[in-house]
Amino acid sequence: MRVLHTSDWHLGRVLHKEPRAQDHDEVLEEIITIARTDKPHLIVHSGDLFDHATPSHPDQKKALLVLQELEAVAPVVVLRGNHDSASLFRVFATAAGPRSRIHYIDSPRDPKNGGVLRFPGPDDTVLRLAVLPFVHANRHLDMLGDPDRWRSAYADRIGAMERALADELLRDFDPRRDIAMFTAHLHLNGANLSSERKAHIADYYATDIAQIPAVSYAAFGHIHKPQPLPGKVTGHYAGSPIQLDFGELGETKSVVLVDVEPGRPAEITLRELSGGRRLRCFHGTLDELRTEAAAIGRDLCQVTIRTPAPDSTLSEQVRAIIPDATVLQVIPDCPGQTLPIVTPDDGVAGIEPDMPELFDRYLASDGTKDVLAEPVSRMFADIWSCLEDERPFLVPEEDTLTQPIDADLRRPTEENL
Ligand SMILES: [Mn+2]
């Protein structure tokens, strides 16, 4: 039997205000073509169909149309990921009706009552698929108390679910005709995260690889970097089909084709995906950007430009050099736009830094937009001292503006007469 495994589409994702709809359209078309060409007997989506619990109607429509295209090839199982809404999955299941070949798994199921699905294949083979969608810790556990105990309680709870599913999966198992598979939307200890900033949260949801059922293939979702599972069980994180955020820079995306016969190890083939724009971080001078412009093409870019002096036209220049690219952000890298780092312990211990000093620390870390930091720092200190002494603050630039206006008003014109 052949299984196509995909995951983590995150329909509706927006990156720095840039919707990813066109990227999804391209890559989903590619996945449909792979399904039609490779003709799997079952298609598994291991969760995070959507990016958030209330996807737009166009995104819901897109999901339904693509799933229907896949259903025309083979039965489809869709797990709820942590980004998906269980109630929306129930609406989809109701709309699909009892004869649909799309199985929406909105919540963990009793192993004896829908937790293990059976799909007949060629030559009397039967594929048994145990399903475990994302389990929110707060739904099932007391989250108060020691975080370490909280984590291990979560992992224990998932482990118990997995053992119960394994028992049902292997009940009356006939190795001459039965094939066992498992699909879950979970973070496994030892997997490589795409984005380091997620690591802290993910730690609390980490579950134990040793607890997952011994199956021919385990189809995992949740982690966006495509990779084989850690440990001994044959399985993969299919990963997201497009680079969803800058934590996924440089990753080649794919879907997984699994060929498996009863009593034999599964053969795994990755089908690389090329649809959708790739992400790119550029850091260099405007000249270096010109040199790289052709290679950047239509990538989604975060651009950092080294300039000797502040330049308020930086954004326009960048966009003119790479007109086909989508520029998400232009960050100036100009030494004059930040203050040198203030050492935090150069004050007297126990004395709070005053406001100008706090502002200088801000300028040291965040810098200014388009102007030199030094005069901004001086002006802030001046304003602050005027406030403290209850003196009016005179902005020098105010004169340069008011003088010509006054002169203009005094000049006799037709309207004034
Ligand atoms: Mn995801």
Side-chain angles (χ1 to χ4, degrees):
M1 279 185 89
R2 173 171 283 179
V3 176
L4 173 63
H5 173 206
T6 179
S7 198
D8 293 86
W9 290 357
H10 285 262
L11 293 172
R13 171 62 67 107
V14 173
L15 180 67
H16 288 274
K17 297 183 184 162
E18 175 71 13
R20 305 299 304 276
Q22 77 173 86
D23 306 312
H24 276 124
D25 288 346
E26 288 176 22
V27 86
L28 294 178
E29 203 50 56
E30 209 179 343
I31 291 173
I32 291 169
T33 303
I34 291 170
R36 286 178 182 154
T37 310
D38 288 305
K39 298 185 175 57
H41 301 95
L42 175 70
I43 298 169
V44 176
H45 187 305
S46 50
D48 284 352
L49 188 60
F50 296 109
D51 194 52
H52 43 265
T54 52
S56 71
H57 291 162
D59 285 328
Q60 294 184 32
K61 183 179 169 188
K62 187 182 296 185
L64 291 171
L65 288 174
V66 174
L67 291 174
Q68 283 165 14
E69 295 288 352
L70 297 177
E71 182 195 16
V73 175
V76 183
V77 173
V78 192
L79 291 190
R80 180 178 71 88
N82 51 309
H83 287 254
D84 296 314
S85 151
S87 59
L88 183 63
F89 266 44
R90 289 193 284 274
V91 171
F92 279 14
T94 306
R99 276 190 296 278
S100 169
R101 295 212 291 171
I102 308 176
H103 304 264
Y104 295 97
I105 315 294
D106 64 273
S107 51
R109 293 174 168 185
D110 178 347
K112 288 189 164 37
N113 195 5
V116 176
L117 306 175
R118 286 160 200 250
F119 298 95
D123 306 324
D124 286 335
T125 53
V126 175
L127 177 71
R128 300 178 174 196
L129 179 71
V131 293
L132 184 56
F134 185 73
V135 180
H136 275 289
N138 56 357
R139 303 282 157 77
H140 301 278
L141 293 165
D142 174 14
M143 288 176 70
L144 301 173
D146 178 12
D148 282 340
R149 238 187 7 242
W150 183 92
R151 195 202 74 73
S152 69
Y154 182 78
D156 288 349
R157 163 102 198 190
I158 297 293
M161 289 178 171
E162 288 171 332
R163 284 193 301 279
L165 285 167
D167 286 348
E168 178 62 21
L169 200 55
L170 301 178
R171 192 169 56 85
D172 302 329
F173 189 84
D174 180 351
R176 286 163 304 176
R177 44 161 262 186
D178 291 329
I179 297 163
M181 287 199 189
F182 176 53
T183 181
H185 192 89
L186 288 174
H187 172 51
L188 282 173
N189 248 332
N192 290 316
L193 299 167
S194 288
S195 184
E196 292 310 316
R197 82 192 149 78
K198 292 179 191 153
H200 182 70
I201 297 291
D203 274 351
Y204 289 102
Y205 279 97
T207 58
D208 192 353
I209 181 77
Q211 305 285 357
I212 72 177
V215 287
S216 292
Y217 180 78
F220 267 67
H222 193 44
I223 292 177
H224 294 173
K225 184 186 176 68
Q227 60 192 291
L229 298 186
K232 292 193 189 112
V233 172
T234 301
H236 274 252
Y237 278 104
S240 52
I242 53 172
Q243 295 171 352
L244 290 165
D245 64 44
F246 283 99
E248 300 170 48
L249 266 183
E251 288 178 9
T252 300
K253 302 301 191 176
S254 48
V255 293
V256 188
L257 277 176
V258 186
D259 284 296
V260 58
E261 301 305 329
R264 313 184 70 157
E267 281 175 37
I268 313 285
T269 316
L270 297 186
R271 285 267 182 276
E272 281 189 12
L273 300 169
S274 59
R277 294 165 296 177
R278 293 176 65 83
L279 303 186
R280 181 187 290 262
C281 278
F282 175 88
H283 194 156
T285 63
L286 284 171
D287 278 339
E288 286 164 350
L289 184 66
R290 277 184 200 97
T291 312
E292 230 179 281
I296 290 172
R298 55 171 203 145
D299 289 356
L300 286 158
C301 303
Q302 187 183 68
V303 182
T304 307
I305 298 291
R306 270 199 306 276
T307 54
D311 184 346
S312 61
T313 65
L314 214 50
S315 269
E316 293 155 42
Q317 293 187 66
V318 165
R319 286 179 167 83
I321 295 169
I322 45 173
D324 297 334
T326 300
V327 179
L328 301 171
Q329 222 182 348
V330 177
I331 304 162
D333 174 9
C334 166
Q337 279 182 241
T338 52
L339 288 182
I341 303 294
V342 187
T343 49
D345 53 357
D346 58 357
V348 181
I351 295 179
E352 288 287 313
D354 63 6
M355 199 56 86
E357 191 181 332
L358 287 172
F359 187 66
D360 280 356
R361 289 185 189 184
Y362 167 78
L363 288 177
S365 65
D366 288 52
T368 65
K369 189 170 159 45
D370 305 337
V371 292
L372 289 169
E374 190 61 44
V376 173
S377 160
R378 273 203 308 274
M379 186 182 280
F380 186 89
D382 287 349
I383 295 172
W384 190 254
S385 73
C386 286
L387 273 174
E388 291 206 310
D389 302 344
E390 297 182 8
R391 283 183 285 122
F393 178 73
L394 300 173
V395 185
E397 283 81 356
E398 221 163 84
D399 280 349
T400 42
L401 198 64
T402 49
Q403 277 166 8
I405 292 174
D406 286 349
D408 206 43
L409 286 174
R410 278 195 294 273
R411 190 187 311 139
T413 62
E414 274 182 38
E415 289 90 58
N416 287 350
L417 291 173

